[in-house]
Amino acid sequence: MKNVSIALLGCGTVGKGVVELLKMNGALIEEQLDTHLAIKYILVRNVDKYKDARLPETIHVTDDFADIINDDDVEIVIEVMGSADFAKICIEECFRKGKSVVSANKDVIADYGIPLLKLAHEHGADFQFEASVAGGIPVVRPMYSSLNSNKIEEIIGIMNGTTNFILTGMTDRELSYEEALAEAQAKGYAEADPTNDISGYDAARKIAILATLGFHSYVTFTDVSVEGIERITKDDIMHAKAMGYRIKLLAVARQEDDGISLAVHPAFIRKDHPLANVGDAYNAVYVRGNCVGDVMFYGQGAGALPTASAVVSDVMNVIQHVNNDMTGKRPYLWRNAEIKDAGEIKTPYYIRMIAANAPGVLSSISGIFARHAISIRSLIQKDETKELAEIVILVDSSANGVVKTALEEIKELPCIDCLCGAVRLIEV
Ligand code: NDP
Ligand code: HSE
């Protein structure tokens, strides 16, 4: 039986998951590949921290990347450190030495995926990153493999478990945003600093990776227009429910004749849509191909073993490539992408405001919409107090930039007490 030596960069949640998975399923994997996978090194910053980690004794735990890069016996490097700059340097070094890399690092891949793929190709190495999007859900490979006979038109995903857990708690258990966030932190879904999740940056990196592969286009994280869930209130959730919708943080990529649109934002989605029923910390990715139609991938987007499942499957893929003399030869097609400006993306909108309960208020609001050629789809008004009224408006699909300008004008009206919510609707 062949032996393949592997180095693991990082031994946190995912790294430990990889060690555990190989313990659990090593025999099954060997049987499939006729190859024994041996972790030879683990790189960490603080070796002492791992003294009691009960790692197999055959593994050399080091804080020196030179041990790994200079060992020609190491064929495959798994990068699960998460740091952006150092991880990128390590990955590049590996390719230059002809070592294949498997990574879960969306930060690096969303920004440098294509240059890294090119470098890997130049050096006859493989670069695989299934775990970088939606953890254990197989969705990266379908983009360039199982669905590659299609023109992919649309990718819509719930790709961040933390925010989905928060929004589910606010919807199903009527928690406030702060209560739901605290619970997500207590359960270990949200990190101590949850900014990347809450602000939508984590999902933005993931949709950039899928759009690059699915649309054969060179897009990066900076091409994605991003809005997080910070401003979603219980009132918005309640109105969404009453109108037959759920609010989800959606990552939306569309490939249309006039360009590619890429956005992450909270959105109303009809309650009977499969994405609306993806609860708690689960992820799902909904893909529309021009021949296959609609396909949905669903499962655990994070966690030690689900993520390790994707990582180790990538390692197995690399070994199969070695066995078939395919290493570094994955064919890619990528074009420079025509990215639509965020303001040009069209969606319907939900808008909630508190206004004076007085004659002429509705006409001044609707007058502004009319001037911007924005059509009102529905309007509900409720007395808040004798003096104030709550107004909830749905407007038809309009360019987001135009809606924002109209809302700025409405906000300045003397009759407006608060422009409290504006959330896009995704109709699929
Ligand atoms: P953790 O923070 O749990 O672990 C990081 C590990 O990397 C630690 O062992 C740390 O060592 C080591 N490390 C970090 N920086 C360095 C460095 N400069 N030099 C050497 N070692 C370093 O991260 P996770 O396991 O959660 O995540 C790893 C990657 O996987 C990230 O890119 C993440 O986005 C991605 N990912 C994570 C998922 C999850 O469920 N956690 C899901 C999908 C992807 P030390 O302890 O000594 O500092
Ligand atoms: N922080 C991410 C989430 C998991 O909440 O989904 C890692 O990608």
Side-chain angles (χ1 to χ4, degrees), residues 4 74 178 221 226 240 307 309 420:
V4 170
V74 172
E178 290 75 18
F221 167 61
V226 191
T307 310
S309 155
C420 320

Side-chain angles (χ1 to χ4, degrees), residues 355-365 381 386-387 389 391 414-415:
N357 202 352
V361 167
L362 280 185
S363 87
S364 49
I365 295 167
Q381 181 181 327
K386 253 191 172 164
E387 294 79 30
I391 301 169
C415 59

Side-chain angles (χ1 to χ4, degrees), residues 10-15 43-46 49-50 80-83 86 104-106 131 135 301-304 307:
C11 193
T13 305
V14 183
L43 179 77
V44 292
R45 276 179 294 215
N46 178 359
K49 204 172 126 185
Y50 295 86
V80 283
M81 290 184 288
S83 70
F86 181 62
N105 192 331
K106 62 200 147 278
T307 310

Side-chain angles (χ1 to χ4, degrees), residues 142-143 145-153 214-216 255 287-295:
M143 288 295 125
S145 179
S146 331
L147 294 175
N148 57 356
S149 56
N150 286 262
K151 179 180 180 202
I152 294 180
E153 295 167 343
F215 299 164
H216 309 291
Q255 183 168 218
V287 183
R288 177 167 297 155
N290 67 340
C291 294
V292 71
D294 294 346
V295 182

Side-chain angles (χ1 to χ4, degrees), residues 8-114:
L8 200 51
L9 312 185
C11 193
T13 305
V14 183
K16 284 193 190 113
V18 169
V19 174
E20 180 63 23
L21 187 146
L22 288 175
K23 256 192 237 163
M24 286 166 67
N25 294 348
L28 178 66
I29 291 166
E30 281 180 11
E31 215 181 327
Q32 291 178 73
L33 299 174
D34 195 24
T35 302
H36 174 68
L37 307 189
I39 300 178
K40 188 166 181 182
Y41 298 96
I42 293 182
L43 179 77
V44 292
R45 276 179 294 215
N46 178 359
V47 173
D48 287 342
K49 204 172 126 185
Y50 295 86
K51 289 239 151 74
D52 300 323
R54 294 215 215 118
L55 296 166
E57 282 181 2
T58 47
I59 299 177
H60 175 51
V61 180
T62 176
D63 58 7
D64 188 356
F65 181 60
D67 290 345
I68 293 164
I69 200 70
N70 294 325
D71 185 340
D72 292 339
D73 188 36
V74 172
E75 288 180 51
I76 302 172
V77 174
I78 300 175
E79 187 283 299
V80 283
M81 290 184 288
S83 70
D85 296 341
F86 181 62
K88 177 172 170 273
I89 293 167
C90 293
I91 293 170
E92 288 169 341
E93 283 297 299
C94 289
F95 294 151
R96 291 198 182 98
K97 288 273 192 169
K99 298 182 196 298
S100 291
V101 175
V102 169
S103 174
N105 192 331
K106 62 200 147 278
D107 298 12
V108 169
I109 298 155
D111 283 339
Y112 306 108
I114 289 187

